[in-house]
mmCIF file of all heavy atoms in Angstrom:
data_model
loop_
_atom_site.group_PDB
_atom_site.id
_atom_site.type_symbol
_atom_site.label_atom_id
_atom_site.label_comp_id
_atom_site.label_asym_id
_atom_site.label_seq_id
_atom_site.Cartn_x
_atom_site.Cartn_y
_atom_site.Cartn_z
ATOM 1 N N ALA A 1 1.560 11.359 -2.569
ATOM 2 C CA ALA A 1 0.288 11.234 -3.279
ATOM 3 C C ALA A 1 -0.136 12.586 -3.844
ATOM 4 O O ALA A 1 0.221 13.640 -3.305
ATOM 5 C CB ALA A 1 -0.786 10.704 -2.340
ATOM 6 N N SER A 2 -0.933 12.537 -4.907
ATOM 7 C CA SER A 2 -1.364 13.759 -5.594
ATOM 8 C C SER A 2 -2.632 14.358 -4.995
ATOM 9 O O SER A 2 -3.117 15.375 -5.488
ATOM 10 C CB SER A 2 -1.600 13.458 -7.080
ATOM 11 O OG SER A 2 -2.614 12.469 -7.224
ATOM 12 N N ARG A 3 -3.151 13.746 -3.941
ATOM 13 C CA ARG A 3 -4.342 14.265 -3.286
ATOM 14 C C ARG A 3 -4.264 13.996 -1.796
ATOM 15 O O ARG A 3 -3.419 13.232 -1.323
ATOM 16 C CB ARG A 3 -5.611 13.653 -3.874
ATOM 17 C CG ARG A 3 -5.651 12.161 -3.780
ATOM 18 C CD ARG A 3 -6.771 11.561 -4.621
ATOM 19 N NE ARG A 3 -8.002 11.390 -3.890
ATOM 20 C CZ ARG A 3 -9.049 10.738 -4.391
ATOM 21 N NH1 ARG A 3 -9.025 10.240 -5.617
ATOM 22 N NH2 ARG A 3 -10.150 10.608 -3.673
ATOM 23 N N SER A 4 -5.160 14.608 -1.078
ATOM 24 C CA SER A 4 -5.160 14.477 0.369
ATOM 25 C C SER A 4 -5.332 13.022 0.798
ATOM 26 O O SER A 4 -6.167 12.288 0.261
ATOM 27 C CB SER A 4 -6.307 15.299 0.966
ATOM 28 O OG SER A 4 -6.478 14.997 2.337
ATOM 29 N N LEU A 5 -4.538 12.620 1.796
ATOM 30 C CA LEU A 5 -4.637 11.256 2.302
ATOM 31 C C LEU A 5 -5.975 11.009 2.999
ATOM 32 O O LEU A 5 -6.406 9.871 3.119
ATOM 33 C CB LEU A 5 -3.483 10.967 3.261
ATOM 34 C CG LEU A 5 -2.074 11.118 2.692
ATOM 35 C CD1 LEU A 5 -1.051 10.581 3.677
ATOM 36 C CD2 LEU A 5 -1.931 10.441 1.339
ATOM 37 N N PHE A 6 -6.620 12.061 3.434
ATOM 38 C CA PHE A 6 -7.923 11.900 4.090
ATOM 39 C C PHE A 6 -8.980 11.408 3.114
ATOM 40 O O PHE A 6 -10.007 10.866 3.534
ATOM 41 C CB PHE A 6 -8.380 13.220 4.715
ATOM 42 C CG PHE A 6 -7.560 13.638 5.893
ATOM 43 C CD1 PHE A 6 -6.794 14.793 5.864
ATOM 44 C CD2 PHE A 6 -7.543 12.883 7.057
ATOM 45 C CE1 PHE A 6 -6.040 15.181 6.949
ATOM 46 C CE2 PHE A 6 -6.786 13.261 8.155
ATOM 47 C CZ PHE A 6 -6.038 14.418 8.101
ATOM 48 N N SER A 7 -8.732 11.592 1.812
ATOM 49 C CA SER A 7 -9.696 11.164 0.793
ATOM 50 C C SER A 7 -9.437 9.741 0.305
ATOM 51 O O SER A 7 -10.121 9.264 -0.598
ATOM 52 C CB SER A 7 -9.630 12.116 -0.403
ATOM 53 O OG SER A 7 -8.397 11.981 -1.083
ATOM 54 N N ILE A 8 -8.458 9.073 0.903
ATOM 55 C CA ILE A 8 -8.055 7.729 0.472
ATOM 56 C C ILE A 8 -8.325 6.751 1.614
ATOM 57 O O ILE A 8 -7.762 6.886 2.699
ATOM 58 C CB ILE A 8 -6.569 7.699 0.085
ATOM 59 C CG1 ILE A 8 -6.290 8.707 -1.032
ATOM 60 C CG2 ILE A 8 -6.171 6.288 -0.348
ATOM 61 C CD1 ILE A 8 -4.816 8.871 -1.354
ATOM 62 N N ASN A 9 -9.155 5.763 1.345
ATOM 63 C CA ASN A 9 -9.525 4.814 2.401
ATOM 64 C C ASN A 9 -8.337 3.996 2.904
ATOM 65 O O ASN A 9 -8.151 3.830 4.106
ATOM 66 C CB ASN A 9 -10.616 3.866 1.913
ATOM 67 C CG ASN A 9 -11.996 4.482 1.977
ATOM 68 O OD1 ASN A 9 -12.236 5.433 2.715
ATOM 69 N ND2 ASN A 9 -12.914 3.949 1.189
ATOM 70 N N VAL A 10 -7.573 3.459 1.969
ATOM 71 C CA VAL A 10 -6.458 2.593 2.347
ATOM 72 C C VAL A 10 -5.236 2.918 1.498
ATOM 73 O O VAL A 10 -5.347 3.087 0.280
ATOM 74 C CB VAL A 10 -6.789 1.095 2.155
ATOM 75 C CG1 VAL A 10 -5.622 0.225 2.616
ATOM 76 C CG2 VAL A 10 -8.058 0.718 2.904
ATOM 77 N N MET A 11 -4.102 2.994 2.130
ATOM 78 C CA MET A 11 -2.808 3.082 1.440
ATOM 79 C C MET A 11 -1.895 2.035 2.037
ATOM 80 O O MET A 11 -2.128 1.534 3.142
ATOM 81 C CB MET A 11 -2.192 4.468 1.586
ATOM 82 C CG MET A 11 -2.927 5.551 0.851
ATOM 83 S SD MET A 11 -2.026 7.124 0.876
ATOM 84 C CE MET A 11 -0.666 6.758 -0.252
ATOM 85 N N GLY A 12 -0.860 1.722 1.301
ATOM 86 C CA GLY A 12 0.068 0.750 1.856
ATOM 87 C C GLY A 12 1.201 0.432 0.912
ATOM 88 O O GLY A 12 1.426 1.133 -0.076
ATOM 89 N N TRP A 13 1.889 -0.631 1.253
ATOM 90 C CA TRP A 13 3.073 -1.055 0.510
ATOM 91 C C TRP A 13 2.993 -2.548 0.195
ATOM 92 O O TRP A 13 2.629 -3.350 1.063
ATOM 93 C CB TRP A 13 4.330 -0.798 1.333
ATOM 94 C CG TRP A 13 4.581 0.641 1.625
ATOM 95 C CD1 TRP A 13 4.139 1.353 2.702
ATOM 96 C CD2 TRP A 13 5.345 1.554 0.828
ATOM 97 N NE1 TRP A 13 4.571 2.656 2.622
ATOM 98 C CE2 TRP A 13 5.309 2.802 1.480
ATOM 99 C CE3 TRP A 13 6.045 1.446 -0.374
ATOM 100 C CZ2 TRP A 13 5.954 3.931 0.978
ATOM 101 C CZ3 TRP A 13 6.692 2.554 -0.876
ATOM 102 C CH2 TRP A 13 6.642 3.784 -0.210
ATOM 103 N N TYR A 14 3.345 -2.864 -1.039
ATOM 104 C CA TYR A 14 3.568 -4.234 -1.457
ATOM 105 C C TYR A 14 5.031 -4.342 -1.878
ATOM 106 O O TYR A 14 5.707 -3.338 -2.084
ATOM 107 C CB TYR A 14 2.693 -4.581 -2.672
ATOM 108 C CG TYR A 14 1.309 -5.062 -2.351
ATOM 109 C CD1 TYR A 14 0.317 -4.176 -1.946
ATOM 110 C CD2 TYR A 14 0.964 -6.398 -2.500
ATOM 111 C CE1 TYR A 14 -0.970 -4.614 -1.679
ATOM 112 C CE2 TYR A 14 -0.321 -6.850 -2.238
ATOM 113 C CZ TYR A 14 -1.280 -5.949 -1.835
ATOM 114 O OH TYR A 14 -2.553 -6.384 -1.574
ATOM 115 N N ARG A 15 5.486 -5.560 -2.015
ATOM 116 C CA ARG A 15 6.819 -5.780 -2.565
ATOM 117 C C ARG A 15 6.791 -7.011 -3.445
ATOM 118 O O ARG A 15 5.968 -7.910 -3.273
ATOM 119 C CB ARG A 15 7.859 -5.930 -1.462
ATOM 120 C CG ARG A 15 7.722 -7.178 -0.600
ATOM 121 C CD ARG A 15 8.729 -7.144 0.529
ATOM 122 N NE ARG A 15 8.643 -8.328 1.374
ATOM 123 C CZ ARG A 15 9.337 -8.500 2.502
ATOM 124 N NH1 ARG A 15 10.182 -7.543 2.916
ATOM 125 N NH2 ARG A 15 9.205 -9.605 3.198
ATOM 126 N N GLN A 16 7.731 -7.021 -4.392
ATOM 127 C CA GLN A 16 7.856 -8.157 -5.289
ATOM 128 C C GLN A 16 9.326 -8.480 -5.492
ATOM 129 O O GLN A 16 10.074 -7.656 -6.017
ATOM 130 C CB GLN A 16 7.177 -7.884 -6.625
ATOM 131 C CG GLN A 16 7.120 -9.100 -7.537
ATOM 132 C CD GLN A 16 6.160 -8.907 -8.689
ATOM 133 O OE1 GLN A 16 5.801 -7.782 -9.045
ATOM 134 N NE2 GLN A 16 5.722 -10.003 -9.279
ATOM 135 N N ALA A 17 9.707 -9.673 -5.075
ATOM 136 C CA ALA A 17 11.066 -10.154 -5.264
ATOM 137 C C ALA A 17 11.139 -10.903 -6.596
ATOM 138 O O ALA A 17 10.118 -11.396 -7.096
ATOM 139 C CB ALA A 17 11.456 -11.064 -4.110
ATOM 140 N N PRO A 18 12.332 -11.017 -7.157
ATOM 141 C CA PRO A 18 12.475 -11.721 -8.436
ATOM 142 C C PRO A 18 11.929 -13.144 -8.364
ATOM 143 O O PRO A 18 12.248 -13.894 -7.445
ATOM 144 C CB PRO A 18 13.990 -11.717 -8.660
ATOM 145 C CG PRO A 18 14.479 -10.539 -7.912
ATOM 146 C CD PRO A 18 13.608 -10.436 -6.703
ATOM 147 N N GLY A 19 11.079 -13.482 -9.328
ATOM 148 C CA GLY A 19 10.525 -14.823 -9.387
ATOM 149 C C GLY A 19 9.429 -15.111 -8.390
ATOM 150 O O GLY A 19 8.973 -16.256 -8.292
ATOM 151 N N LYS A 20 9.003 -14.088 -7.655
ATOM 152 C CA LYS A 20 7.964 -14.301 -6.646
ATOM 153 C C LYS A 20 6.770 -13.409 -6.925
ATOM 154 O O LYS A 20 6.858 -12.420 -7.641
ATOM 155 C CB LYS A 20 8.514 -14.019 -5.242
ATOM 156 C CG LYS A 20 9.597 -14.982 -4.805
ATOM 157 C CD LYS A 20 9.965 -14.756 -3.357
ATOM 158 C CE LYS A 20 11.004 -15.773 -2.897
ATOM 159 N NZ LYS A 20 11.358 -15.575 -1.465
ATOM 160 N N GLN A 21 5.653 -13.768 -6.313
ATOM 161 C CA GLN A 21 4.456 -12.949 -6.455
ATOM 162 C C GLN A 21 4.551 -11.707 -5.574
ATOM 163 O O GLN A 21 5.283 -11.690 -4.576
ATOM 164 C CB GLN A 21 3.220 -13.768 -6.057
ATOM 165 C CG GLN A 21 2.849 -14.864 -7.025
ATOM 166 C CD GLN A 21 1.521 -15.507 -6.694
ATOM 167 O OE1 GLN A 21 1.110 -15.523 -5.530
ATOM 168 N NE2 GLN A 21 0.839 -16.024 -7.692
ATOM 169 N N ARG A 22 3.805 -10.696 -5.974
ATOM 170 C CA ARG A 22 3.752 -9.482 -5.167
ATOM 171 C C ARG A 22 3.077 -9.805 -3.844
ATOM 172 O O ARG A 22 2.044 -10.477 -3.813
ATOM 173 C CB ARG A 22 2.987 -8.398 -5.919
ATOM 174 C CG ARG A 22 3.122 -7.018 -5.350
ATOM 175 C CD ARG A 22 2.486 -5.971 -6.255
ATOM 176 N NE ARG A 22 3.217 -5.816 -7.503
ATOM 177 C CZ ARG A 22 2.991 -4.813 -8.356
ATOM 178 N NH1 ARG A 22 2.073 -3.911 -8.093
ATOM 179 N NH2 ARG A 22 3.684 -4.738 -9.481
ATOM 180 N N GLU A 23 3.643 -9.334 -2.744
ATOM 181 C CA GLU A 23 3.083 -9.617 -1.428
ATOM 182 C C GLU A 23 2.850 -8.318 -0.663
ATOM 183 O O GLU A 23 3.597 -7.348 -0.787
ATOM 184 C CB GLU A 23 4.000 -10.532 -0.616
ATOM 185 C CG GLU A 23 5.351 -9.958 -0.274
ATOM 186 C CD GLU A 23 6.142 -10.809 0.719
ATOM 187 O OE1 GLU A 23 5.550 -11.721 1.333
ATOM 188 O OE2 GLU A 23 7.344 -10.543 0.880
ATOM 189 N N LEU A 24 1.820 -8.352 0.154
ATOM 190 C CA LEU A 24 1.485 -7.200 0.973
ATOM 191 C C LEU A 24 2.486 -7.054 2.104
ATOM 192 O O LEU A 24 2.809 -8.031 2.792
ATOM 193 C CB LEU A 24 0.075 -7.361 1.541
ATOM 194 C CG LEU A 24 -0.439 -6.233 2.417
ATOM 195 C CD1 LEU A 24 -0.573 -4.940 1.627
ATOM 196 C CD2 LEU A 24 -1.772 -6.617 3.044
ATOM 197 N N VAL A 25 2.951 -5.841 2.309
ATOM 198 C CA VAL A 25 3.900 -5.568 3.383
ATOM 199 C C VAL A 25 3.208 -4.871 4.550
ATOM 200 O O VAL A 25 3.332 -5.295 5.705
ATOM 201 C CB VAL A 25 5.064 -4.696 2.875
ATOM 202 C CG1 VAL A 25 5.997 -4.315 4.023
ATOM 203 C CG2 VAL A 25 5.822 -5.419 1.773
ATOM 204 N N ALA A 26 2.493 -3.780 4.250
ATOM 205 C CA ALA A 26 1.856 -3.005 5.317
ATOM 206 C C ALA A 26 0.725 -2.173 4.737
ATOM 207 O O ALA A 26 0.777 -1.774 3.566
ATOM 208 C CB ALA A 26 2.872 -2.093 5.995
ATOM 209 N N THR A 27 -0.273 -1.902 5.572
ATOM 210 C CA THR A 27 -1.377 -1.032 5.173
ATOM 211 C C THR A 27 -1.638 0.023 6.225
ATOM 212 O O THR A 27 -1.300 -0.159 7.410
ATOM 213 C CB THR A 27 -2.671 -1.821 4.944
ATOM 214 O OG1 THR A 27 -3.041 -2.476 6.178
ATOM 215 C CG2 THR A 27 -2.532 -2.846 3.854
ATOM 216 N N PHE A 28 -2.255 1.113 5.776
ATOM 217 C CA PHE A 28 -2.598 2.223 6.664
ATOM 218 C C PHE A 28 -3.946 2.744 6.208
ATOM 219 O O PHE A 28 -4.084 3.184 5.075
ATOM 220 C CB PHE A 28 -1.534 3.316 6.568
ATOM 221 C CG PHE A 28 -1.533 4.268 7.724
ATOM 222 C CD1 PHE A 28 -0.401 4.415 8.508
ATOM 223 C CD2 PHE A 28 -2.646 5.038 8.034
ATOM 224 C CE1 PHE A 28 -0.377 5.295 9.578
ATOM 225 C CE2 PHE A 28 -2.642 5.909 9.097
ATOM 226 C CZ PHE A 28 -1.493 6.045 9.868
ATOM 227 N N THR A 29 -4.945 2.673 7.070
ATOM 228 C CA THR A 29 -6.270 3.121 6.680
ATOM 229 C C THR A 29 -6.473 4.591 7.042
ATOM 230 O O THR A 29 -5.726 5.160 7.849
ATOM 231 C CB THR A 29 -7.354 2.301 7.370
ATOM 232 O OG1 THR A 29 -7.369 2.640 8.780
ATOM 233 C CG2 THR A 29 -7.107 0.810 7.218
ATOM 234 N N SER A 30 -7.508 5.183 6.463
ATOM 235 C CA SER A 30 -7.804 6.585 6.749
ATOM 236 C C SER A 30 -8.158 6.782 8.222
ATOM 237 O O SER A 30 -8.014 7.891 8.754
ATOM 238 C CB SER A 30 -8.951 7.070 5.862
ATOM 239 O OG SER A 30 -10.100 6.271 6.061
ATOM 240 N N GLY A 31 -8.603 5.725 8.886
ATOM 241 C CA GLY A 31 -8.917 5.811 10.302
ATOM 242 C C GLY A 31 -7.713 5.662 11.196
ATOM 243 O O GLY A 31 -7.819 5.766 12.421
#
């Protein structure tokens, strides 16, 4: 990331397989 992670409430990962909708994989909150 281009800025401190402490300034970001939520970060995480999504994924998208061919022909499918993007789905949430994992999240990580500032807490």
Side-chain angles (χ1 to χ4, degrees):
S2 60
R3 58 192 268 188
S4 169
L5 301 189
F6 291 116
S7 68
I8 302 173
N9 279 339
V10 182
M11 291 188 72
W13 297 90
Y14 274 76
R15 67 185 181 186
Q16 187 166 20
K20 295 187 177 181
Q21 290 188 333
R22 193 172 292 191
E23 64 171 347
L24 180 64
V25 175
T27 61
F28 199 121
T29 70
S30 58

